[in-house]
Short mmCIF file of all heavy atoms in Angstrom, two decimals:
data_model
loop_
_atom_site.label_atom_id
_atom_site.label_comp_id
_atom_site.label_asym_id
_atom_site.label_seq_id
_atom_site.Cartn_x
_atom_site.Cartn_y
_atom_site.Cartn_z
N LEU A 111 -23.72 -16.07 -1.02
CA LEU A 111 -24.92 -15.30 -0.71
C LEU A 111 -25.62 -15.78 0.56
O LEU A 111 -26.56 -15.13 1.03
CB LEU A 111 -25.90 -15.38 -1.89
CG LEU A 111 -25.45 -14.69 -3.18
CD1 LEU A 111 -26.39 -15.03 -4.33
CD2 LEU A 111 -25.34 -13.19 -2.98
N ARG A 112 -25.17 -16.90 1.11
CA ARG A 112 -25.81 -17.43 2.31
C ARG A 112 -24.99 -17.08 3.55
O ARG A 112 -23.84 -17.51 3.71
CB ARG A 112 -25.99 -18.95 2.19
CG ARG A 112 -26.96 -19.34 1.06
CD ARG A 112 -27.39 -20.79 1.17
NE ARG A 112 -26.29 -21.71 0.94
CZ ARG A 112 -25.91 -22.13 -0.29
NH1 ARG A 112 -26.54 -21.69 -1.36
NH2 ARG A 112 -24.93 -22.98 -0.42
N ARG A 113 -25.58 -16.29 4.41
CA ARG A 113 -24.92 -15.76 5.62
C ARG A 113 -24.37 -16.87 6.50
O ARG A 113 -23.31 -16.73 7.13
CB ARG A 113 -25.95 -14.93 6.38
CG ARG A 113 -25.44 -14.09 7.54
CD ARG A 113 -26.60 -13.23 8.02
NE ARG A 113 -26.20 -12.25 9.03
CZ ARG A 113 -26.41 -12.39 10.33
NH1 ARG A 113 -26.98 -13.51 10.78
NH2 ARG A 113 -26.05 -11.44 11.16
N GLU A 114 -25.08 -18.01 6.55
CA GLU A 114 -24.68 -19.11 7.44
C GLU A 114 -23.39 -19.79 6.99
O GLU A 114 -22.82 -20.60 7.74
CB GLU A 114 -25.80 -20.14 7.55
CG GLU A 114 -26.16 -20.85 6.25
CD GLU A 114 -27.23 -20.13 5.44
OE1 GLU A 114 -27.45 -18.92 5.70
OE2 GLU A 114 -27.83 -20.77 4.56
N ASN A 115 -22.91 -19.49 5.81
CA ASN A 115 -21.68 -20.10 5.31
C ASN A 115 -20.42 -19.37 5.80
O ASN A 115 -19.31 -19.74 5.42
CB ASN A 115 -21.67 -20.13 3.79
CG ASN A 115 -22.63 -21.17 3.22
OD1 ASN A 115 -23.00 -22.12 3.93
ND2 ASN A 115 -23.04 -20.99 1.98
N PHE A 116 -20.60 -18.36 6.64
CA PHE A 116 -19.47 -17.56 7.11
C PHE A 116 -19.36 -17.62 8.63
O PHE A 116 -20.33 -17.94 9.32
CB PHE A 116 -19.61 -16.11 6.62
CG PHE A 116 -19.48 -15.99 5.13
CD1 PHE A 116 -20.56 -16.26 4.30
CD2 PHE A 116 -18.27 -15.65 4.55
CE1 PHE A 116 -20.44 -16.17 2.92
CE2 PHE A 116 -18.14 -15.56 3.18
CZ PHE A 116 -19.22 -15.82 2.35
N GLU A 117 -18.19 -17.31 9.13
CA GLU A 117 -17.92 -17.43 10.55
C GLU A 117 -18.71 -16.44 11.39
O GLU A 117 -19.22 -16.77 12.45
CB GLU A 117 -16.41 -17.23 10.81
CG GLU A 117 -15.52 -18.36 10.32
CD GLU A 117 -15.62 -19.60 11.18
OE1 GLU A 117 -16.20 -19.52 12.29
OE2 GLU A 117 -15.10 -20.64 10.77
N ASP A 118 -18.81 -15.22 10.94
CA ASP A 118 -19.42 -14.16 11.74
C ASP A 118 -20.51 -13.46 10.92
O ASP A 118 -20.22 -12.80 9.92
CB ASP A 118 -18.34 -13.15 12.15
CG ASP A 118 -18.84 -12.10 13.14
OD1 ASP A 118 -19.90 -11.50 12.88
OD2 ASP A 118 -18.15 -11.86 14.15
N GLY A 119 -21.74 -13.60 11.36
CA GLY A 119 -22.86 -13.04 10.62
C GLY A 119 -22.83 -11.53 10.52
O GLY A 119 -23.15 -10.96 9.47
N MET A 120 -22.42 -10.86 11.58
CA MET A 120 -22.39 -9.40 11.56
C MET A 120 -21.31 -8.90 10.60
O MET A 120 -21.52 -7.92 9.88
CB MET A 120 -22.15 -8.86 12.97
CG MET A 120 -23.31 -9.09 13.92
SD MET A 120 -23.06 -8.35 15.56
CE MET A 120 -23.04 -6.61 15.15
N LYS A 121 -20.17 -9.58 10.59
CA LYS A 121 -19.12 -9.20 9.65
C LYS A 121 -19.56 -9.47 8.21
O LYS A 121 -19.25 -8.71 7.29
CB LYS A 121 -17.83 -9.96 9.96
CG LYS A 121 -17.13 -9.50 11.22
CD LYS A 121 -15.85 -10.27 11.47
CE LYS A 121 -15.16 -9.77 12.74
NZ LYS A 121 -13.92 -10.54 13.03
N TYR A 122 -20.31 -10.56 8.04
CA TYR A 122 -20.84 -10.85 6.70
C TYR A 122 -21.80 -9.74 6.27
O TYR A 122 -21.75 -9.29 5.11
CB TYR A 122 -21.57 -12.19 6.68
CG TYR A 122 -22.25 -12.45 5.35
CD1 TYR A 122 -21.52 -12.91 4.26
CD2 TYR A 122 -23.61 -12.20 5.19
CE1 TYR A 122 -22.13 -13.12 3.02
CE2 TYR A 122 -24.24 -12.40 3.97
CZ TYR A 122 -23.49 -12.86 2.88
OH TYR A 122 -24.09 -13.06 1.67
N ASP A 123 -22.67 -9.30 7.17
CA ASP A 123 -23.62 -8.24 6.84
C ASP A 123 -22.88 -6.97 6.40
O ASP A 123 -23.30 -6.29 5.45
CB ASP A 123 -24.50 -7.92 8.03
CG ASP A 123 -25.47 -9.05 8.36
OD1 ASP A 123 -25.69 -9.93 7.49
OD2 ASP A 123 -25.98 -9.08 9.50
N LYS A 124 -21.79 -6.66 7.08
CA LYS A 124 -21.00 -5.48 6.74
C LYS A 124 -20.39 -5.65 5.35
O LYS A 124 -20.42 -4.72 4.53
CB LYS A 124 -19.90 -5.27 7.78
CG LYS A 124 -19.06 -4.04 7.53
CD LYS A 124 -18.01 -3.86 8.64
CE LYS A 124 -17.15 -2.64 8.38
NZ LYS A 124 -16.12 -2.46 9.45
N TRP A 125 -19.84 -6.84 5.09
CA TRP A 125 -19.26 -7.10 3.77
C TRP A 125 -20.33 -7.03 2.69
O TRP A 125 -20.13 -6.41 1.63
CB TRP A 125 -18.60 -8.49 3.73
CG TRP A 125 -18.08 -8.82 2.36
CD1 TRP A 125 -16.87 -8.49 1.84
CD2 TRP A 125 -18.79 -9.51 1.32
NE1 TRP A 125 -16.77 -8.93 0.55
CE2 TRP A 125 -17.92 -9.55 0.19
CE3 TRP A 125 -20.05 -10.08 1.23
CZ2 TRP A 125 -18.30 -10.16 -1.01
CZ3 TRP A 125 -20.43 -10.68 0.03
CH2 TRP A 125 -19.56 -10.72 -1.08
N PHE A 126 -21.49 -7.62 2.94
CA PHE A 126 -22.54 -7.68 1.92
C PHE A 126 -23.10 -6.29 1.64
O PHE A 126 -23.41 -5.95 0.49
CB PHE A 126 -23.67 -8.62 2.35
CG PHE A 126 -24.62 -8.93 1.25
CD1 PHE A 126 -24.28 -9.84 0.25
CD2 PHE A 126 -25.87 -8.31 1.18
CE1 PHE A 126 -25.16 -10.13 -0.79
CE2 PHE A 126 -26.75 -8.60 0.15
CZ PHE A 126 -26.39 -9.50 -0.84
N SER A 127 -23.21 -5.46 2.67
CA SER A 127 -23.67 -4.09 2.49
C SER A 127 -22.71 -3.32 1.59
O SER A 127 -23.12 -2.58 0.69
CB SER A 127 -23.80 -3.38 3.84
OG SER A 127 -24.13 -2.02 3.68
N ASN A 128 -21.43 -3.55 1.81
CA ASN A 128 -20.42 -2.90 0.97
C ASN A 128 -20.47 -3.44 -0.46
O ASN A 128 -20.29 -2.70 -1.43
CB ASN A 128 -19.03 -3.11 1.57
CG ASN A 128 -18.00 -2.20 0.94
OD1 ASN A 128 -18.07 -0.98 1.10
ND2 ASN A 128 -17.04 -2.78 0.23
N PHE A 129 -20.75 -4.74 -0.59
CA PHE A 129 -20.87 -5.36 -1.90
C PHE A 129 -22.02 -4.71 -2.69
O PHE A 129 -21.89 -4.45 -3.90
CB PHE A 129 -21.11 -6.86 -1.74
CG PHE A 129 -21.45 -7.58 -3.00
CD1 PHE A 129 -20.59 -7.57 -4.08
CD2 PHE A 129 -22.65 -8.28 -3.12
CE1 PHE A 129 -20.90 -8.25 -5.26
CE2 PHE A 129 -22.98 -8.95 -4.28
CZ PHE A 129 -22.10 -8.93 -5.36
N GLN A 130 -23.12 -4.42 -2.04
CA GLN A 130 -24.24 -3.76 -2.70
C GLN A 130 -23.83 -2.37 -3.21
O GLN A 130 -24.24 -1.95 -4.31
CB GLN A 130 -25.43 -3.62 -1.74
CG GLN A 130 -26.03 -4.95 -1.29
CD GLN A 130 -26.55 -5.78 -2.45
OE1 GLN A 130 -27.28 -5.29 -3.30
NE2 GLN A 130 -26.15 -7.04 -2.49
N LYS A 131 -23.02 -1.68 -2.44
CA LYS A 131 -22.53 -0.37 -2.88
C LYS A 131 -21.61 -0.51 -4.09
O LYS A 131 -21.61 0.36 -4.97
CB LYS A 131 -21.78 0.32 -1.73
CG LYS A 131 -22.68 0.70 -0.56
CD LYS A 131 -21.87 1.28 0.58
CE LYS A 131 -22.76 1.59 1.77
NZ LYS A 131 -21.99 2.09 2.94
N LEU A 132 -20.85 -1.60 -4.13
CA LEU A 132 -19.97 -1.83 -5.28
C LEU A 132 -20.78 -2.08 -6.55
O LEU A 132 -20.38 -1.67 -7.64
CB LEU A 132 -19.04 -3.01 -5.00
CG LEU A 132 -17.98 -2.78 -3.92
CD1 LEU A 132 -17.23 -4.08 -3.61
CD2 LEU A 132 -16.99 -1.71 -4.36
N ILE A 133 -21.93 -2.75 -6.41
CA ILE A 133 -22.81 -2.95 -7.57
C ILE A 133 -23.30 -1.60 -8.08
O ILE A 133 -23.26 -1.32 -9.29
CB ILE A 133 -24.00 -3.85 -7.20
CG1 ILE A 133 -23.54 -5.26 -6.86
CG2 ILE A 133 -25.02 -3.88 -8.34
CD1 ILE A 133 -24.64 -6.17 -6.35
N GLU A 134 -23.72 -0.74 -7.15
CA GLU A 134 -24.19 0.58 -7.53
C GLU A 134 -23.08 1.38 -8.21
O GLU A 134 -23.32 2.07 -9.21
CB GLU A 134 -24.70 1.33 -6.30
CG GLU A 134 -25.94 0.70 -5.68
CD GLU A 134 -26.29 1.32 -4.33
OE1 GLU A 134 -25.63 2.32 -3.96
OE2 GLU A 134 -27.20 0.81 -3.66
N ARG A 135 -21.87 1.28 -7.68
CA ARG A 135 -20.75 1.99 -8.28
C ARG A 135 -20.44 1.45 -9.67
O ARG A 135 -20.15 2.21 -10.60
CB ARG A 135 -19.51 1.88 -7.39
CG ARG A 135 -18.33 2.72 -7.87
CD ARG A 135 -17.17 2.65 -6.91
NE ARG A 135 -16.53 1.34 -6.92
CZ ARG A 135 -15.50 1.01 -6.15
NH1 ARG A 135 -15.03 1.88 -5.26
NH2 ARG A 135 -14.95 -0.19 -6.21
N GLY A 136 -20.52 0.14 -9.82
CA GLY A 136 -20.28 -0.47 -11.12
C GLY A 136 -21.28 0.00 -12.16
O GLY A 136 -20.92 0.23 -13.33
N LEU A 137 -22.53 0.16 -11.75
CA LEU A 137 -23.56 0.66 -12.66
C LEU A 137 -23.29 2.11 -13.04
O LEU A 137 -23.41 2.49 -14.22
CB LEU A 137 -24.94 0.52 -12.03
CG LEU A 137 -25.48 -0.90 -11.88
CD1 LEU A 137 -26.77 -0.90 -11.07
CD2 LEU A 137 -25.71 -1.55 -13.25
N ARG A 138 -22.90 2.92 -12.04
CA ARG A 138 -22.59 4.33 -12.32
C ARG A 138 -21.42 4.45 -13.28
O ARG A 138 -21.39 5.33 -14.14
CB ARG A 138 -22.27 5.08 -11.02
CG ARG A 138 -23.46 5.36 -10.13
CD ARG A 138 -23.12 6.43 -9.10
NE ARG A 138 -21.94 6.09 -8.31
CZ ARG A 138 -21.97 5.40 -7.18
NH1 ARG A 138 -23.13 4.94 -6.71
NH2 ARG A 138 -20.86 5.16 -6.51
N ASN A 139 -20.44 3.56 -13.13
CA ASN A 139 -19.24 3.60 -13.98
C ASN A 139 -19.44 2.87 -15.30
O ASN A 139 -18.50 2.72 -16.08
CB ASN A 139 -18.05 2.99 -13.22
CG ASN A 139 -17.63 3.84 -12.04
OD1 ASN A 139 -17.95 5.02 -11.96
ND2 ASN A 139 -16.91 3.24 -11.10
N LYS A 140 -20.67 2.40 -15.52
CA LYS A 140 -21.05 1.72 -16.77
C LYS A 140 -20.18 0.49 -17.05
O LYS A 140 -19.73 0.25 -18.19
CB LYS A 140 -20.99 2.70 -17.95
CG LYS A 140 -21.91 3.90 -17.77
CD LYS A 140 -21.98 4.76 -19.02
CE LYS A 140 -22.82 6.00 -18.80
NZ LYS A 140 -24.19 5.72 -18.35
N GLU A 141 -19.90 -0.28 -15.98
CA GLU A 141 -19.20 -1.56 -16.14
C GLU A 141 -20.16 -2.54 -16.82
O GLU A 141 -21.21 -2.87 -16.27
CB GLU A 141 -18.75 -2.11 -14.79
CG GLU A 141 -17.63 -1.34 -14.13
CD GLU A 141 -16.27 -1.62 -14.76
OE1 GLU A 141 -16.21 -2.41 -15.72
OE2 GLU A 141 -15.29 -1.02 -14.30
N GLY A 142 -19.79 -3.00 -18.02
CA GLY A 142 -20.68 -3.82 -18.81
C GLY A 142 -21.12 -5.10 -18.12
O GLY A 142 -22.31 -5.47 -18.17
N TYR A 143 -20.19 -5.79 -17.46
CA TYR A 143 -20.55 -7.07 -16.85
C TYR A 143 -21.48 -6.88 -15.66
O TYR A 143 -22.32 -7.72 -15.37
CB TYR A 143 -19.29 -7.86 -16.45
CG TYR A 143 -18.59 -7.38 -15.19
CD1 TYR A 143 -18.85 -7.98 -13.97
CD2 TYR A 143 -17.65 -6.35 -15.24
CE1 TYR A 143 -18.20 -7.56 -12.82
CE2 TYR A 143 -17.01 -5.92 -14.10
CZ TYR A 143 -17.28 -6.53 -12.89
OH TYR A 143 -16.64 -6.12 -11.75
N VAL A 144 -21.36 -5.74 -14.96
CA VAL A 144 -22.25 -5.46 -13.84
C VAL A 144 -23.67 -5.25 -14.36
O VAL A 144 -24.64 -5.85 -13.84
CB VAL A 144 -21.78 -4.22 -13.05
CG1 VAL A 144 -22.77 -3.90 -11.93
CG2 VAL A 144 -20.40 -4.46 -12.47
N ALA A 145 -23.82 -4.43 -15.37
CA ALA A 145 -25.14 -4.19 -15.96
C ALA A 145 -25.75 -5.49 -16.50
O ALA A 145 -26.96 -5.72 -16.39
CB ALA A 145 -25.03 -3.15 -17.07
N HIS A 146 -24.89 -6.37 -17.04
CA HIS A 146 -25.35 -7.65 -17.59
C HIS A 146 -26.00 -8.51 -16.51
O HIS A 146 -27.11 -9.03 -16.70
CB HIS A 146 -24.17 -8.39 -18.22
CG HIS A 146 -24.46 -9.81 -18.58
ND1 HIS A 146 -25.25 -10.17 -19.66
CD2 HIS A 146 -24.08 -10.98 -17.99
CE1 HIS A 146 -25.32 -11.49 -19.72
NE2 HIS A 146 -24.63 -11.99 -18.72
N PHE A 147 -25.34 -8.65 -15.37
CA PHE A 147 -25.88 -9.50 -14.30
C PHE A 147 -27.09 -8.84 -13.62
O PHE A 147 -28.00 -9.54 -13.17
CB PHE A 147 -24.80 -9.82 -13.28
CG PHE A 147 -23.87 -10.92 -13.71
CD1 PHE A 147 -22.60 -10.63 -14.19
CD2 PHE A 147 -24.28 -12.25 -13.68
CE1 PHE A 147 -21.75 -11.64 -14.61
CE2 PHE A 147 -23.43 -13.27 -14.09
CZ PHE A 147 -22.17 -12.96 -14.56
N VAL A 148 -27.09 -7.52 -13.54
CA VAL A 148 -28.24 -6.83 -12.97
C VAL A 148 -29.47 -7.03 -13.85
O VAL A 148 -30.57 -7.33 -13.37
CB VAL A 148 -27.94 -5.33 -12.79
CG1 VAL A 148 -29.21 -4.56 -12.45
CG2 VAL A 148 -26.90 -5.12 -11.69
N ARG A 149 -29.28 -6.88 -15.15
CA ARG A 149 -30.40 -6.96 -16.08
C ARG A 149 -30.86 -8.40 -16.31
O ARG A 149 -32.06 -8.70 -16.24
CB ARG A 149 -29.99 -6.32 -17.41
CG ARG A 149 -31.09 -6.30 -18.47
CD ARG A 149 -30.62 -5.62 -19.75
NE ARG A 149 -29.48 -6.31 -20.35
CZ ARG A 149 -28.24 -5.86 -20.33
NH1 ARG A 149 -27.95 -4.72 -19.73
NH2 ARG A 149 -27.25 -6.53 -20.90
N LYS A 150 -29.92 -9.30 -16.58
CA LYS A 150 -30.28 -10.65 -16.99
C LYS A 150 -30.54 -11.59 -15.83
O LYS A 150 -31.38 -12.51 -15.92
CB LYS A 150 -29.20 -11.23 -17.90
CG LYS A 150 -29.59 -12.56 -18.54
CD LYS A 150 -28.59 -12.97 -19.60
CE LYS A 150 -29.02 -14.28 -20.27
NZ LYS A 150 -28.07 -14.69 -21.34
N TYR A 151 -29.83 -11.39 -14.70
CA TYR A 151 -29.93 -12.33 -13.59
C TYR A 151 -30.44 -11.68 -12.30
O TYR A 151 -30.23 -12.21 -11.21
CB TYR A 151 -28.57 -12.99 -13.34
CG TYR A 151 -28.07 -13.81 -14.51
CD1 TYR A 151 -27.09 -13.31 -15.36
CD2 TYR A 151 -28.61 -15.07 -14.77
CE1 TYR A 151 -26.65 -14.06 -16.44
CE2 TYR A 151 -28.17 -15.82 -15.86
CZ TYR A 151 -27.20 -15.31 -16.69
OH TYR A 151 -26.76 -16.05 -17.77
N ASP A 152 -31.12 -10.54 -12.45
CA ASP A 152 -31.73 -9.87 -11.31
C ASP A 152 -30.72 -9.61 -10.19
O ASP A 152 -30.98 -9.85 -9.00
CB ASP A 152 -32.92 -10.68 -10.79
CG ASP A 152 -33.82 -9.87 -9.87
OD1 ASP A 152 -33.81 -8.63 -9.99
OD2 ASP A 152 -34.50 -10.47 -9.01
N SER A 153 -29.55 -9.14 -10.58
CA SER A 153 -28.46 -8.76 -9.65
C SER A 153 -27.89 -9.94 -8.87
O SER A 153 -27.30 -9.76 -7.80
CB SER A 153 -28.93 -7.68 -8.67
OG SER A 153 -29.28 -6.50 -9.35
N VAL A 154 -28.02 -11.14 -9.39
CA VAL A 154 -27.39 -12.32 -8.77
C VAL A 154 -26.07 -12.58 -9.51
O VAL A 154 -26.08 -12.94 -10.68
CB VAL A 154 -28.30 -13.55 -8.84
CG1 VAL A 154 -27.58 -14.77 -8.26
CG2 VAL A 154 -29.59 -13.29 -8.07
N PHE A 155 -24.97 -12.41 -8.79
CA PHE A 155 -23.64 -12.54 -9.37
C PHE A 155 -22.99 -13.84 -8.89
O PHE A 155 -23.03 -14.13 -7.68
CB PHE A 155 -22.74 -11.38 -8.94
CG PHE A 155 -23.17 -10.04 -9.46
CD1 PHE A 155 -24.24 -9.36 -8.90
CD2 PHE A 155 -22.48 -9.45 -10.51
CE1 PHE A 155 -24.62 -8.12 -9.37
CE2 PHE A 155 -22.85 -8.21 -10.99
CZ PHE A 155 -23.93 -7.54 -10.42
N PRO A 156 -22.38 -14.63 -9.77
CA PRO A 156 -21.57 -15.76 -9.28
C PRO A 156 -20.37 -15.21 -8.53
O PRO A 156 -19.98 -14.04 -8.72
CB PRO A 156 -21.18 -16.48 -10.57
CG PRO A 156 -21.22 -15.43 -11.62
CD PRO A 156 -22.34 -14.50 -11.24
N ILE A 157 -19.77 -16.01 -7.71
CA ILE A 157 -18.69 -15.56 -6.84
C ILE A 157 -17.55 -14.90 -7.61
O ILE A 157 -16.99 -13.90 -7.17
CB ILE A 157 -18.15 -16.75 -5.98
CG1 ILE A 157 -17.04 -16.28 -5.03
CG2 ILE A 157 -17.66 -17.89 -6.83
CD1 ILE A 157 -17.49 -15.30 -3.98
N TRP A 158 -17.22 -15.42 -8.80
CA TRP A 158 -16.10 -14.85 -9.55
C TRP A 158 -16.42 -13.44 -10.05
O TRP A 158 -15.53 -12.60 -10.13
CB TRP A 158 -15.67 -15.76 -10.70
CG TRP A 158 -16.80 -16.24 -11.58
CD1 TRP A 158 -17.35 -15.62 -12.64
CD2 TRP A 158 -17.51 -17.48 -11.43
NE1 TRP A 158 -18.35 -16.36 -13.19
CE2 TRP A 158 -18.48 -17.52 -12.47
CE3 TRP A 158 -17.42 -18.55 -10.53
CZ2 TRP A 158 -19.37 -18.60 -12.63
CZ3 TRP A 158 -18.30 -19.62 -10.69
CH2 TRP A 158 -19.26 -19.64 -11.72
N ALA A 159 -17.69 -13.19 -10.36
CA ALA A 159 -18.08 -11.83 -10.77
C ALA A 159 -18.18 -10.92 -9.55
O ALA A 159 -17.83 -9.73 -9.61
CB ALA A 159 -19.40 -11.86 -11.53
N ALA A 160 -18.68 -11.46 -8.45
CA ALA A 160 -18.81 -10.67 -7.21
C ALA A 160 -17.46 -10.18 -6.73
O ALA A 160 -17.29 -9.01 -6.37
CB ALA A 160 -19.50 -11.50 -6.13
N LEU A 161 -16.47 -11.07 -6.72
CA LEU A 161 -15.15 -10.67 -6.24
C LEU A 161 -14.41 -9.81 -7.25
O LEU A 161 -13.51 -9.06 -6.88
CB LEU A 161 -14.31 -11.90 -5.87
CG LEU A 161 -14.77 -12.66 -4.61
CD1 LEU A 161 -13.75 -13.71 -4.21
CD2 LEU A 161 -15.03 -11.70 -3.44
#
Side-chain angles (χ1 to χ4, degrees):
L111 293 171
R112 295 194 293 274
R113 190 173 187 258
E114 63 271 18
N115 287 338
F116 293 81
E117 290 286 349
D118 187 310
M120 292 184 65
K121 289 181 179 178
Y122 174 80
D123 291 342
K124 182 178 179 180
W125 176 86
F126 192 76
S127 175
N128 194 66
F129 172 59
Q130 296 299 311
K131 293 176 183 177
L132 291 173
I133 294 175
E134 294 171 6
R135 186 176 70 181
L137 290 172
R138 287 197 304 271
N139 293 340
K140 301 187 184 303
E141 290 284 0
Y143 77 96
V144 177
H146 169 73
F147 281 103
V148 169
R149 181 179 61 253
K150 188 170 182 179
Y151 297 103
D152 195 24
S153 297
V154 176
F155 294 76
I157 182 65
W158 49 86
L161 289 189

